[in-house]
Amino acid sequence: MKECMVRLIYCEMLGYESSFGYIHAIKLAQQGNLLEKRVGYLAVSLFLHENHELLLLLVNTVVKDLQSTNLVEVCMALTIVSQIFPREMIPAVLPLIEDKLQHSKEIIRRKAVQALYKFYLIAPNQVQHIHDKFRKALCDRDVGVMAASLHIYLQMVKENSSGYKDLTGSFVTILKQVVGGKLPIDFNYHSVPAPWLQIQLLRILGLLGKDDPRTSELMYDVLDESLRRAEINHNITYAILFECVQTIYTIHPKSELLEKAAKCIGKFVLSSKINLKYLGLKALTYVIQQDPNLALQHQMTIIECLDHPDPIIKRETLELLYRITNGQNVIVIVQKMLDYLKQSKEEYTIISLAGKIAELAEKYAPDNEWFIQTMNAVFSVGGDVVHPDIPNNFLRLLAEGFDDGKEDEQLRLYAVQSYLALLEEEDAFYPQKFLQVMSWVLGEYSSLVTDVDTEIILTRLHRLLKKTFVTPETKAWIMAAVTKIASRTSCSKTVDKLIQEFSTSLDTCMRQYAFELKHLCEDKVLMKSLLPFDASCNDIVVDASLSFLDGFVAEGLGHGAAPYKPHHQRQEEKLSQEKALNFEPYGLSFASSMSSSGFTGRQSPTGLSFGSDTSGNSAETGHKETNSLKLDGVRKLWGKEGYLPKKENKIGKEDEPLTVPCGSLLAGHVADPPVSQSDQVATLSEEEKEKQQLASTLFVGLGSNAGVSLMGKADMATQKFKRKSKINETQNTEETPDIQNSAALALGPLLDTLPSNKEGHEGDEHTRLRKASPCSSDTVEDNLAFEKPQSLKKPGLDNKLLHSSLSSSSLFADSNIEIFHPLPSAQCESANKTLLAPSLPGELAELPHSEVVELCQSDDLALHLCKVWTDDSLLLAVFVSNKNTSALNAVNLVFEKAEHFRILESPAYQFSVIEAQSVEHCQQCVQMDKICTQGILSGSINYQSEMETRLEFSITLSLLDFIRPMEMTTEDFGRLWLSLSNDVKQNLKMSSQDSFSAALNTLQQKLKLHIVDIIGNEGILACQLLSSVPCLLHCRIHAGMLALWFRSPCSALPDSLLYQCQKSQHSDLSELAS
Amino acid sequence: MISAILVFNNHGKPRLVRFYQRLAEEVQQQIIRETFHLVLKRDDHICNFLECGSLFGGPDYKLIYRHYATLYFVFCVDSSESELGILDLIQVFVETLDKCFENVCELDLIFHMDKVHYILQEVVIGGMVLETNMNEIVAQAEAQSKLEKTEGGLSAAPSRAVSAVKNINLPEIPRNINIGDINIKVPNLSQFV
């Protein structure tokens, strides 16, 4: 069997189907002796994948082997677990593997860590509770185990570098020891101590030190040391050097190290070994943005690499050149790229390179002619594989143009001319995308060319239409172009011929276009209004609600037709009708029977309220009438003036490439590139001279005589183009009376209230303050007298405040007294800061809420936070207290966008002024977008005191903040349970003194679950994640174990809840222990 | 992460294939073929790195290969691996094979492919480099082969007897699966490393 399995593996490797043997591989792993088991496991790991159904059969064997006393069996089981293991079955083996972390054998510990890494990759939530064990593994006395744990850390740091800053010290120490040769001698490879370990550590450090001066500070020494030690001339030392360089350029820069790193890059680039050269170029590409001078130093090498026989080197060089392109060297660089593009055959290379060329051409084009030529080259060489954005952007650029009208005209004119020239050739073959671009441009702008007869253009397009290689899609583009041109000419023989020819075409689409064209030609006025010249950028108003059909609908309803119901409603009614007998009278439906409508059957007895539906769904109502009416409806759909759909159709097509909102549209005319070819030394050989010249053209703008850094130059160049501002356009669209506009109008008042709200608060506070403290001192009275008129000035505001869902005025109901009582004394300059502690106002205080905690604090201001768990959301109440004796102006509170959370209202909040010694407060409603057990919401507050100050803070939000009990009946639970698909099961150990109900109570309190029912030793609980993702839990007690079974429509939720369960149980146990 | 390790000979016949990423059988075969064509085109004196484009479904992936006599060792890795590091890892792997098989050659890979897989398992698990210490790898591999010997002496004997009896009854079972392309002209076999 064993031999057979090995041969089966061989067959599978050669590509023969061997699925018949999979089950035997599993059997072998289950039943065989040690040797057979080994082959079985190997075969399984090669044959199956994670989601293979047969893999489930292996789980039990793995569990058994993990518990075995034989080291080899444990090893094999761990190996298979870290290679493939079904995600849902992780809980079954997780405790066993955790135990293995304490095993006395290094190899077992190492493999256990590797298995946990695998788990972390496929189900990070399930191993969250053992993060401290990873730390232990990092400190393991065996180097192998430590090295294995680095994989986990590299991954975790990559995901969230801020969470592991505290480990920087440890990583640095480890690296120091490794570099210092403290490891056992057999970890040396070519007398370099543990090079792979070093590489891994350098990567982690790079990630940790990115944009963080303080953390970077810690690693400067060790990086320096690494650079110094890696002197031996061997591949592996270069690998370390390369990582060092990359890390140095990633972390917060230090000039000495940068200098050394630059020297290292020089070593790479100048090396005769081709691998090193490649890496050198890669490093150069990486650092070029920070240090363009480095490219200058190596310009000759780069030029040599351009002509290197190895295409990989060439490509890397082009990538480097792409990064240093500016307005002055763009022509040479793009030329080089085009040369390469023409040679390469690989689709992937073409796509990426064509994209880059197009981008450069748009950004830095020196003149129109060059730009059009370059784009032509890209289209014709790139063929149809180029990214669809390229032609779209190009057409958009042509259509939208720049501020300078004349410039536009020229560009378009030139485009038309060049395309006409290209089409002149009879047998030329062009890619479809290029033809589409051509036909669009000719259709739109051919009239700009005055010296060419339109008849000629039409003939050329006509000729294209007859070509066999042209696809139907392209034909549609060409027809659109013909139509557009035809609208501008009085009559044309070619058009007539074309109509005649295609009216009998077998292609229905072409026939359709031909007929449309024919009809349009008959009605020139309509044609002109449909196809205005150069209107491709104008927004078209489309009546999406089809309101012009309203009258028709009303008429239909008057005749007794059934009101339209949306699909789902009909479905529901159908279902309800099927299930139960209908007890309602049919009598009222006689109206519909009169109108001989075929739809009487559809009308439900309850659906008689047609008045209510009429206006809402007028669009769809049109479809749902009697037969004769249906035809009408169709015709009307075609447009009020007859040919609406044609217009929409066409416009849709034209707009398609145009409406994609995209940032960079910079192109056009730059002042002629200064050809500053410096005089080269004449004694050089001819070839050298050529290269030198090339270098000087390539690196122009980078040169020291230019004196300006690359990036600065590029920016200057790009700013030369004045783009038509986007804002302008959006304003234009708003002016057109459409739906958006009305939406904006509706928003208007809301926006108005926002800024005035806080002033309202102020006034409100003070009036209330008077009520609350009638016995206050004279100073307060004075103060109030001063404030009162202000509050009276805004009588409307209070109203508005009351209307807003979380009425701010009521928030102050209770707390005013606490907050403002100290005011008088504070104004007497007694620094009574302790009393500034904020507390929750009125209604919120009654809701469950957390303690008020301090977020951050400066000399002037303190920020406090309180979480309020309302039934339907998590409210963050933020208190800003001014500790100064003077008022603070323009205090801005901004929440940053977080990955997992969403702030429902605007993430920014502004207090225009905060009075001395007072507390202002605001609240934010937060929702969890992506499920995680814990996340961080960060933000900042800035304010104006003597100078602009900015404070940063972060709020830790846990999943439990968003979990609410969900009340339901046992029957509902049963129904919901069956409908949910994702489940997670886990057994938890229970301490003996814990009773079942006590355990349930813990769950109820800690996790905010709602206990639906308890039946004997089983219990069912339910909760929901805001807003409205349910999660059901079924738990059963059995032999001292609590079996938990979660189900939810969302797959991540059960995992996370399970984690919280484990956590709460741990904390329970520790409470009991203490 | 390493997403695949491929070993094939100068004719493109796979000798060791290990994917660490779930791919359909046909895709795997296609990758092997295309990789072979990509690698074959390249001279010996140009660089050992190769961008494999969309072969693995992303621009992130690179092929890193070494050519030893009749065999190409190709590692397909993503950007989180150091190129030179992997290059030397191939060297480590081959040196380890050499130690375990005492002058390894292509035939060793064919006839002991299970053993080769075990050795590979010690070096790379689930796409991650686990062990780079050559002595440790050799020690593990030897411990296992020692086990094989003891097991073979004790427990394998009866099972051999059983299978022998079974085979008597079923003479049509092929004794050897014919592997057509093995190059068994011994003088031609040059060892690598």
Side-chain angles (χ1 to χ4, degrees):
Chain A
M1 198 64 195
K2 188 183 133 213
E3 278 296 299
C4 288
M5 206 41 77
V6 175
R7 286 173 195 197
L8 203 62
I9 295 175
Y10 195 83
C11 290
E12 175 98 356
M13 181 179 80
L14 291 177
Y16 298 105
E17 172 76 30
S18 57
S19 54
F20 61 88
Y22 292 177
I23 186 68
H24 297 288
I26 288 183
K27 268 195 204 154
L28 204 62
Q30 282 170 340
Q31 295 158 354
N33 61 30
L34 217 51
L35 277 176
E36 290 176 332
K37 203 187 249 306
R38 194 157 66 131
V39 177
Y41 271 135
L42 175 66
V44 167
S45 77
L46 285 168
F47 291 157
L48 305 186
H49 56 79
E50 253 146 42
N51 303 322
H52 202 287
E53 47 194 349
L54 286 178
L55 204 55
L56 290 178
L57 296 175
L58 200 70
V59 174
N60 209 16
T61 320
V62 170
V63 173
K64 213 169 65 199
D65 285 341
L66 278 176
Q67 287 162 328
S68 157
T69 48
N70 190 337
L71 279 186
V72 184
E73 281 186 347
V74 179
C75 247
M76 287 192 293
L78 283 174
T79 310
I80 191 85
V81 165
S82 44
Q83 274 170 340
I84 45 168
F85 202 72
R87 186 176 171 277
E88 342 36 286
M89 284 298 156
I90 291 175
V93 294
L94 191 56
L96 290 170
I97 292 179
E98 275 179 63
D99 289 345
K100 294 288 176 282
L101 286 176
Q102 269 97 41
H103 204 275
S104 57
K105 271 280 188 195
E106 298 86 27
I107 177 88
I108 303 280
R109 289 206 301 271
R110 196 188 319 150
K111 294 207 166 170
V113 171
Q114 198 70 27
L116 288 177
Y117 171 70
K118 175 77 178 173
F119 290 168
Y120 179 77
L121 282 185
I122 56 178
N125 284 330
Q126 299 198 3
V127 291
Q128 247 165 353
H129 60 289
I130 41 177
H131 276 193
D132 50 331
K133 290 195 175 151
F134 292 153
R135 293 200 179 212
K136 223 175 255 167
L138 185 67
C139 309
D140 200 284
R141 57 187 184 282
D142 182 67
V143 185
V145 183
M146 186 264 288
S149 74
L150 287 183
H151 288 303
I152 302 181
Y153 277 105
L154 183 60
Q155 187 68 28
M156 293 199 293
V157 170
K158 213 182 265 175
E159 281 163 16
N160 169 22
S161 68
S162 60
Y164 301 93
K165 298 273 187 203
D166 55 322
L167 283 175
T168 316
S170 319
F171 291 128
V172 168
T173 326
I174 295 171
L175 185 56
K176 248 183 207 147
Q177 287 175 1
V178 175
V179 174
K182 298 266 164 54
L183 296 187
I185 195 82
D186 50 347
F187 277 93
N188 284 9
Y189 173 79
H190 290 268
S191 67
V192 181
W196 289 278
L197 199 58
Q198 291 193 39
I199 291 172
Q200 195 102 20
L201 283 165
L202 284 169
R203 294 216 159 189
I204 295 180
L205 289 183
L207 288 170
L208 282 172
K210 196 173 183 184
D211 304 324
D212 185 348
R214 224 175 32 176
T215 319
S216 304
E217 196 77 36
L218 295 171
M219 43 187 98
Y220 289 146
D221 281 348
V222 78
L223 285 175
D224 194 32
E225 178 86 10
S226 299
L227 278 180
R228 213 156 43 78
R229 293 256 180 175
E231 290 281 89
I232 323 149
N233 192 5
H234 186 271
N235 245 346
I236 199 70
T237 53
Y238 283 112
I240 297 171
L241 275 184
F242 181 74
E243 287 309 319
C244 272
V245 169
Q246 208 153 21
T247 308
I248 288 170
Y249 274 97
T250 317
I251 62 173
H252 191 80
K254 188 190 182 194
S255 56
E256 282 169 49
L257 278 178
L258 286 182
E259 227 168 82
K260 282 183 186 168
K263 244 184 233 160
C264 270
I265 293 180
K267 248 194 253 175
F268 276 101
V269 175
L270 296 174
S271 165
S272 58
K273 283 184 191 154
I274 204 78
N275 285 340
L276 299 185
K277 196 163 254 175
Y278 170 79
L279 285 180
L281 288 172
K282 211 175 133 183
L284 266 185
T285 318
Y286 187 74
V287 304
I288 205 77
Q289 263 131 1
Q290 295 180 34
D291 191 2
N293 278 325
L294 214 51
L296 269 183
Q297 285 171 24
H298 302 294
Q299 46 177 303
M300 287 316 290
T301 327
I302 296 172
I303 300 293
E304 272 161 30
C305 288
L306 260 184
D307 297 324
H308 203 276
D310 187 349
I312 298 297
I313 297 270
K314 239 181 188 171
R315 189 137 106 227
E316 200 58 41
T317 318
L318 287 178
E319 176 73 33
L320 173 63
L321 290 179
Y322 165 71
R323 299 276 173 101
I324 60 165
T325 310
N326 57 29
Q328 295 168 45
N329 57 14
V330 65
I331 299 182
V332 196
I333 289 179
V334 167
Q335 190 50 47
K336 286 276 163 201
M337 287 171 120
L338 279 174
D339 289 346
Y340 185 79
L341 185 65
K342 277 169 195 155
Q343 285 166 17
S344 58
K345 288 181 188 66
E346 213 187 327
E347 185 176 314
Y348 170 77
T349 322
I350 296 176
I351 295 174
S352 68
L353 207 56
K356 277 176 189 155
I357 297 175
E359 190 194 327
L360 290 181
E362 269 182 35
K363 245 192 202 156
Y364 302 114
D367 56 57
N368 294 331
E369 197 172 325
W370 181 86
F371 177 61
I372 297 291
Q373 291 294 2
T374 309
M375 290 312 282
N376 285 355
V378 170
F379 286 133
S380 54
V381 178
D384 287 323
V385 293
V386 294
H387 200 269
D389 275 355
I390 298 176
N392 291 354
N393 279 343
F394 175 66
L395 292 185
R396 212 165 90 114
L397 192 76
L398 279 181
E400 286 187 355
F402 325 103
D403 275 348
D404 187 357
K406 217 164 128 197
E407 196 71 24
D408 292 348
E409 207 102 309
Q410 270 182 356
L411 184 66
R412 290 167 187 166
L413 186 69
Y414 189 80
V416 172
Q417 278 167 348
S418 74
Y419 294 150
L420 280 177
L422 283 173
L423 287 180
E424 207 165 356
E425 281 175 63
E426 282 274 351
D427 302 318
F429 172 83
Y430 299 109
Q432 304 299 325
K433 284 212 174 106
F434 193 23
L435 285 177
Q436 289 166 11
V437 169
M438 280 192 214
S439 52
W440 189 86
V441 172
L442 289 181
E444 283 290 323
Y445 303 117
S446 62
S447 57
L448 292 175
V449 187
T450 42
D451 53 346
V452 184
D453 188 11
T454 43
E455 205 64 15
I456 297 174
I457 303 173
L458 284 169
T459 342
R460 278 182 199 157
L461 289 174
H462 183 211
R463 202 165 62 207
L464 267 186
L465 276 177
K466 286 192 290 192
K467 292 254 166 70
T468 44
F469 64 82
V470 178
T471 60
E473 194 199 346
T474 315
K475 279 186 184 161
W477 283 73
I478 299 173
M479 276 307 270
V482 170
T483 319
K484 276 181 258 178
I485 297 173
S487 74
R488 271 171 239 133
T489 52
S490 46
C491 68
S492 148
K493 258 183 267 164
T494 325
V495 173
D496 293 339
K497 207 169 95 191
L498 200 137
I499 290 170
Q500 216 168 15
E501 200 169 304
F502 287 102
S503 306
T504 55
S505 165
L506 282 178
D507 187 347
T508 43
C509 275
M510 287 311 289
R511 209 155 61 204
Q512 160 99 5
Y513 286 126
F515 276 117
E516 280 170 14
L517 184 57
K518 193 174 156 196
H519 282 285
L520 280 178
C521 284
E522 283 160 13
D523 187 353
K524 280 283 170 193
V525 184
L526 176 63
M527 195 170 188
K528 284 251 157 64
S529 70
L530 270 182
L531 304 163
F533 175 65
D534 194 15
S536 54
C537 296
N538 301 349
D539 292 291
I540 286 119
V541 186
V542 178
D543 185 0
S545 69
L546 300 184
S547 56
F548 55 85
L549 287 175
D550 277 349
F552 169 74
V553 172
E555 194 187 333
L557 287 172
H559 285 299
Y564 173 71
K565 291 193 197 82
H567 181 70
H568 59 90
Q569 201 183 339
R570 287 200 304 268
Q571 209 95 44
E572 268 169 32
E573 276 166 14
K574 218 170 162 188
L575 278 178
S576 64
Q577 275 172 357
E578 273 167 12
K579 267 180 200 154
L581 285 172
N582 184 12
F583 294 111
E584 308 212 7
Y586 286 104
L588 284 169
S589 61
F590 63 92
S592 58
S593 63
M594 288 199 326
S595 70
S596 74
S597 114
F599 289 95
T600 38
R602 267 194 199 177
Q603 187 163 16
S604 89
T606 46
L608 282 163
S609 54
F610 37 76
S612 63
D613 271 358
T614 358
S615 58
N617 298 313
S618 58
E620 285 113 327
T621 326
H623 300 286
K624 300 291 164 207
E625 302 305 327
T626 55
N627 262 352
S628 62
L629 288 174
K630 214 170 174 177
L631 259 182
D632 265 4
V634 172
R635 197 174 302 145
K636 283 211 175 173
L637 250 176
W638 275 64
K640 216 174 185 174
E641 316 104 316
Y643 261 120
L644 191 65
K646 170 105 179 67
K647 184 181 171 185
E648 280 173 0
N649 223 344
K650 214 170 238 340
I651 278 146
K653 221 177 288 151
E654 284 165 16
D655 265 9
E656 192 176 34
L658 305 176
T659 45
V660 196
C662 174
S664 65
L665 257 184
L666 307 164
H669 193 79
V670 202
D672 290 331
V675 189
S676 63
Q677 291 184 5
S678 49
D679 295 332
Q680 297 300 333
V681 192
T683 50
L684 290 167
S685 71
E686 198 59 19
E687 192 187 355
E688 279 294 288
K689 213 170 171 181
E690 230 170 69
K691 279 182 180 167
Q692 288 277 7
Q693 263 183 358
L694 182 57
S696 63
T697 42
L698 271 180
F699 296 93
V700 65
L702 284 171
S704 45
N705 54 344
V708 192
S709 86
L710 164 73
M711 297 320 283
K713 200 82 184 170
D715 281 348
M716 262 170 52
T718 50
Q719 276 161 7
K720 278 184 189 164
F721 310 108
K722 271 178 256 154
R723 269 192 65 201
K724 206 180 250 175
S725 68
K726 262 270 167 285
I727 305 153
N728 246 338
E729 276 170 46
T730 46
Q731 275 173 352
N732 282 340
T733 48
E734 270 174 28
E735 273 161 23
T736 58
D738 61 7
I739 308 158
Q740 277 183 355
N741 201 11
S742 63
L745 279 175
L747 275 174
L750 271 179
L751 292 171
D752 281 346
T753 46
L754 259 179
S756 51
N757 257 355
K758 43 190 181 327
E759 289 166 274
H761 287 214
E762 251 168 56
D764 208 44
E765 280 155 24
H766 287 289
T767 41
R768 272 162 196 279
L769 181 58
R770 194 162 65 152
K771 281 181 213 149
S773 53
C775 56
S776 41
S777 62
D778 287 355
T779 43
V780 186
E781 283 296 337
D782 284 349
N783 187 22
L784 283 173
F786 178 69
E787 294 288 343
K788 207 175 159 190
Q790 209 185 336
S791 69
L792 286 175
K793 274 180 205 159
K794 297 156 184 138
L797 281 175
D798 279 17
N799 262 345
K800 279 181 189 163
L801 278 173
L802 285 170
H803 281 304
S804 62
S805 61
L806 295 161
S807 164
S808 314
S809 59
S810 62
L811 294 177
F812 285 89
D814 270 4
S815 62
N816 273 336
I817 306 166
E818 284 169 45
I819 299 170
F820 289 98
H821 255 314
L823 255 183
S825 51
Q827 279 175 345
C828 302
E829 285 183 292
S830 71
N832 209 345
K833 278 175 190 163
T834 44
L835 283 169
L836 270 172
S839 70
L840 270 183
E843 288 163 12
L844 291 184
E846 287 161 19
L847 293 167
H849 60 85
S850 69
E851 306 269 299
V852 177
V853 288
E854 188 182 282
L855 285 178
C856 63
Q857 148 136 259
S858 71
D859 291 341
D860 309 309
L861 162 154
L863 211 59
H864 293 265
L865 169 86
C866 178
K867 295 181 194 168
V868 182
W869 299 295
T870 64
D871 283 342
D872 49 1
S873 65
L874 172 71
L875 271 187
L876 297 179
V878 182
F879 303 91
V880 188
S881 26
N882 181 1
K883 299 198 285 185
N884 258 351
T885 45
S886 57
L888 285 177
N889 290 322
V891 181
N892 276 317
L893 183 68
V894 180
F895 286 97
E896 277 161 30
K897 211 163 143 36
E899 188 194 350
H900 299 284
F901 307 106
R902 184 159 46 100
I903 291 165
L904 293 187
E905 292 121 46
S906 85
Y909 202 91
Q910 193 180 29
F911 307 94
S912 63
V913 65
I914 298 182
E915 292 300 321
Q917 299 289 328
S918 72
V919 181
E920 288 285 349
H921 111 289
C922 70
Q923 42 191 335
Q924 292 286 352
C925 224
V926 184
Q927 267 193 356
M928 187 174 255
D929 257 2
K930 255 199 209 141
I931 291 172
C932 64
T933 48
Q934 208 165 59
I936 288 173
L937 185 67
S938 51
S940 62
I941 183 162
N942 59 352
Y943 59 92
Q944 203 85 42
S945 55
E946 283 135 45
M947 48 197 251
E948 177 109 17
T949 320
R950 188 179 138 97
L951 286 175
E952 287 187 0
F953 61 87
S954 64
I955 304 166
T956 313
L957 298 174
S958 129
L959 176 74
L960 288 187
D961 287 331
F962 299 92
I963 295 284
R964 300 284 177 276
M966 186 163 154
E967 305 212 353
M968 54 166 65
T969 61
T970 314
E971 290 83 50
D972 284 341
F973 185 93
R975 214 171 301 141
L976 195 58
W977 180 265
L978 291 177
S979 69
L980 299 180
S981 52
N982 294 302
D983 55 358
V984 169
K985 294 182 195 174
Q986 172 85 315
N987 290 340
L988 293 180
K989 256 182 222 147
M990 287 214 332
S991 45
S992 52
Q993 63 262 58
D994 249 5
S995 74
F996 182 50
S997 60
L1000 285 190
N1001 279 334
T1002 319
L1003 288 178
Q1004 185 179 18
Q1005 281 160 17
K1006 293 252 164 80
L1007 276 97
K1008 299 187 201 155
L1009 295 170
H1010 169 70
I1011 301 181
V1012 180
D1013 207 351
I1014 302 179
I1015 312 156
N1017 59 355
E1018 292 181 41
I1020 48 178
L1021 300 97
C1023 69
Q1024 58 176 336
L1025 173 72
L1026 294 174
S1027 52
S1028 76
V1029 181
C1031 183
L1032 305 180
L1033 168 64
H1034 172 271
C1035 46
R1036 201 162 72 93
I1037 194 152
H1038 172 73
M1041 297 287 271
L1042 185 64
L1044 300 176
W1045 187 359
F1046 288 94
R1047 273 198 176 184
S1048 167
C1050 167
S1051 64
L1053 185 56
D1055 283 346
S1056 314
L1057 270 180
L1058 183 63
Y1059 166 61
Q1060 299 286 0
C1061 271
Q1062 284 166 336
K1063 223 170 82 176
S1064 75
Q1065 203 203 17
H1066 280 301
S1067 67
D1068 258 21
L1069 288 179
S1070 57
E1071 269 168 34
L1072 281 172
S1074 64
Chain B
M1 199 184 126
I2 301 169
S3 48
I5 294 174
L6 315 170
V7 179
F8 40 73
N9 68 4
N10 288 347
H11 305 288
K13 288 286 168 201
R15 291 291 172 240
L16 176 79
V17 174
R18 176 93 232 206
F19 282 89
Y20 295 101
Q21 185 180 348
R22 187 190 157 185
L23 290 165
E25 181 68 25
E26 310 86 68
V27 183
Q28 294 190 1
Q29 290 302 322
Q30 195 199 346
I31 288 177
I32 295 172
R33 270 196 309 274
E34 286 188 22
T35 313
F36 172 65
H37 286 300
L38 280 176
V39 172
L40 192 70
K41 272 189 286 185
R42 299 175 63 78
D43 298 334
D44 274 344
H45 59 272
I46 57 181
C47 78
N48 297 56
F49 316 122
L50 191 58
E51 276 157 53
C52 57
S54 48
L55 205 57
F56 273 81
D60 210 20
Y61 291 97
K62 263 200 193 82
L63 299 174
I64 294 165
Y65 71 96
R66 265 183 181 232
H67 190 194
Y68 293 95
T70 59
L71 291 177
Y72 284 99
F73 284 72
V74 184
F75 279 43
C76 178
V77 300
D78 67 7
S79 63
S80 67
E81 298 285 342
S82 151
E83 287 93 345
L84 284 177
I86 293 293
L87 206 57
D88 278 64
L89 187 72
I90 300 179
Q91 179 70 23
V92 167
F93 179 50
V94 173
E95 275 181 40
T96 318
L97 286 179
D98 195 50
K99 273 190 188 165
C100 292
F101 288 110
E102 284 145 16
N103 281 339
V104 67
C105 68
E106 191 179 339
L107 278 185
D108 285 326
L109 296 196
I110 299 168
F111 289 118
H112 301 283
M113 69 170 302
D114 50 338
K115 204 174 167 192
V116 177
H117 270 293
Y118 299 139
I119 295 169
L120 183 60
Q121 261 176 14
E122 295 300 321
V123 184
V124 179
I125 280 193
M128 282 298 151
V129 183
L130 180 66
E131 182 63 73
T132 48
N133 178 350
M134 219 179 297
N135 298 340
E136 176 77 27
I137 304 167
V138 174
Q140 287 299 329
E142 258 158 24
Q144 284 174 347
S145 54
K146 206 183 282 167
L147 179 104
E148 197 164 339
K149 271 172 202 150
T150 56
E151 282 258 333
L154 292 169
S155 58
S159 68
R160 265 186 210 157
V162 169
S163 65
V165 171
K166 274 184 187 164
N167 285 347
I168 292 165
N169 295 338
L170 299 164
E172 69 271 20
I173 288 181
R175 286 298 161 101
N176 273 319
I177 292 175
N178 192 12
I179 306 162
D181 56 282
I182 305 173
N183 190 2
I184 314 193
K185 286 174 210 145
V186 182
N188 280 357
L189 274 179
S190 46
Q191 29 172 287
F192 42 95
V193 183

